[in-house]
Amino acid sequence: MLKKEYALDGFKRVPFIDPVRAVHGVLIDAAAPAVPACDQRTVPGVMSQRACAYYGARWFLAPLKQAIHLVHGPVSCAYYGETVRKKKYTVFSTDLSEKEVIFGGEAKLLQNLLEIGERFPDTKAILIYVTCAPGFTGDNVERACRNAEQATGIRCVPVNCPGFLGYHQATGHEIGAQVLLDHFIGRDDKAEAGSYDINILGEYDVMGDYKVIKALLGRMGINVVSALTADATVDNLARAHRVRLNVIHCRRTGGPMAEKMRQKYGIPHVKVSFFGVAQTSTALRQIGARLNLQEAAERVIAEEEAMVAADLERYRWELSGKRVGLFFGGSRIGSMQNCYRELGIEVLAAGSQFGGKDDYRDAWSTMKPGAALVDDTNEEEVLRFIRQYRPDVIAGGMREKWIAHKFGIPFTVFPQESGPYAGYFGFRNLARDILVALKAPVWQIVRGESETDAGSTS
Ligand code: SF4
């Protein structure tokens, strides 16, 4: 059990993090359990890789269908929020300029909402993302929304997410979740719950992950009413309060919402992971147990495990003993570590941009003594990690990818770009991607060159 909140004097320091950020990293030590300082503002002067609250709201809400997404701010905010998880979405912008910053942008916002009402009369809602500029000037967005609703009959919902709120993008996730709870979930009073209806909270269908999960659950006879926000629509959210169970996939984005739905609608929830064979089978068993579908769960598990067993055995043979550094966004640092361990890969370090205490506790419990757990990792620290540990492979986002490549370290991108990682065959995809990255002949050549470079710059 973790007794102490944060690393304190006397705790083993992570060698590759900046001394001014010492409390933001811990070396796993069963005798001195602690998690990194987290949910705090980035240390001034450190070039963080975090995103703003507005982008966090876009991350959460971008897939919502049957709605127009209007970014109230300079056009560059809209451009920034157009691409989410490497997928482009249609966004509109009020294109605020100097004039509106000085005299106010409410009139322009109202004009934009009325124009959307004329051009898209069939849309069921308009989400208005409030960015930094109107956050500073104090535009009365609620009044503009009320007036536009009266004129157009379309629901206009402010998403109050100026970039300066909070310390990182998770603030935007929470704002987005609250918007769905307040304005979308539970609006259909006549909806009835089927015996095997569930929601999945915190699932975003990266490269088809949700389709894999939905198919597995479908074979057990389970119906997903809404996956938030992978397939969220205004219509299915209206019925999302009539389900038997909320399944949380990403704790950081789905957990608080599940708890609020439990309090408001009495819906129980369960936290699972669909990454890795062991975790996917556990997830199906847990969900099956909650819905009295144990036999169906065992049938699906037996069929799926048998189909991937031979391939995974080969991948384990190839990958066992390799060493990895993981640098993810938030709450997947624990569950993804289990996947790497299932393949026999040692996790040297795990970093997160915006993980919370629960995420770090989860990760801590899965890590071996001596491994490093770090909050808000920056580029310089990843570079030092590579020099000090020389991992066989790194997994993370695009920011870490180029540093790893520069020093001859194979890299796999997460969230992934090659196909689903969820479920049994998704896990095989993950193992394949790691092996392909490791075996590429180019790395031997690049590593040979960069060894010299690394030595001359250290
Ligand atoms: S920090 Fe502010 S100005 Fe920058 S993208 Fe985010 S909302 Fe827009």
Side-chain angles (χ1 to χ4, degrees), residues 58 61-70 89-92 116 120 122-129 154-157 159 179-180 184 232-235 237:
R58 284 293 299 149
L61 294 170
L64 177 62
K65 297 180 190 68
Q66 299 178 316
I68 296 281
H69 297 250
L70 174 64
Y89 292 90
T90 300
V91 289
F92 296 81
I116 288 171
F120 305 96
D122 295 333
T123 193
K124 298 199 169 177
I126 307 172
L127 292 180
I128 299 97
Y129 297 83
I154 298 170
R155 202 185 317 162
C156 297
V157 178
V159 184
V179 162
L180 297 190
F184 292 94
T233 65
V234 172
D235 286 347
L237 287 175

Side-chain angles (χ1 to χ4, degrees), residues 52 54 77 80 131-132 161-163:
C52 70
Y54 153 70
C77 293
Y80 180 42
T131 63
C132 288
C161 56

Side-chain angles (χ1 to χ4, degrees), residues 203 206-217 219 249 272-284 300-301 304-305 307-308 312 332 336 339 342-343 414 416 419-431:
E203 170 48 45
V206 176
M207 297 304 294
D209 276 348
Y210 170 58
K211 293 176 189 70
V212 170
I213 296 167
K214 188 177 181 185
L216 285 172
L217 295 171
R219 284 169 55 198
H249 201 201
V272 303
S273 171
F274 290 100
F275 294 116
V277 167
Q279 290 183 138
T280 302
S281 295
T282 301
L284 297 183
V300 173
I301 290 166
E304 293 282 324
E305 287 190 354
M307 279 195 277
V308 296
L312 289 176
R332 297 260 156 89
M336 287 308 290
C339 292
E342 196 171 353
L343 291 168
F414 187 85
Q416 73 277 11
Y421 277 1
Y424 300 88
F425 285 91
F427 186 49
R428 195 180 62 172
N429 293 342
L430 169 67

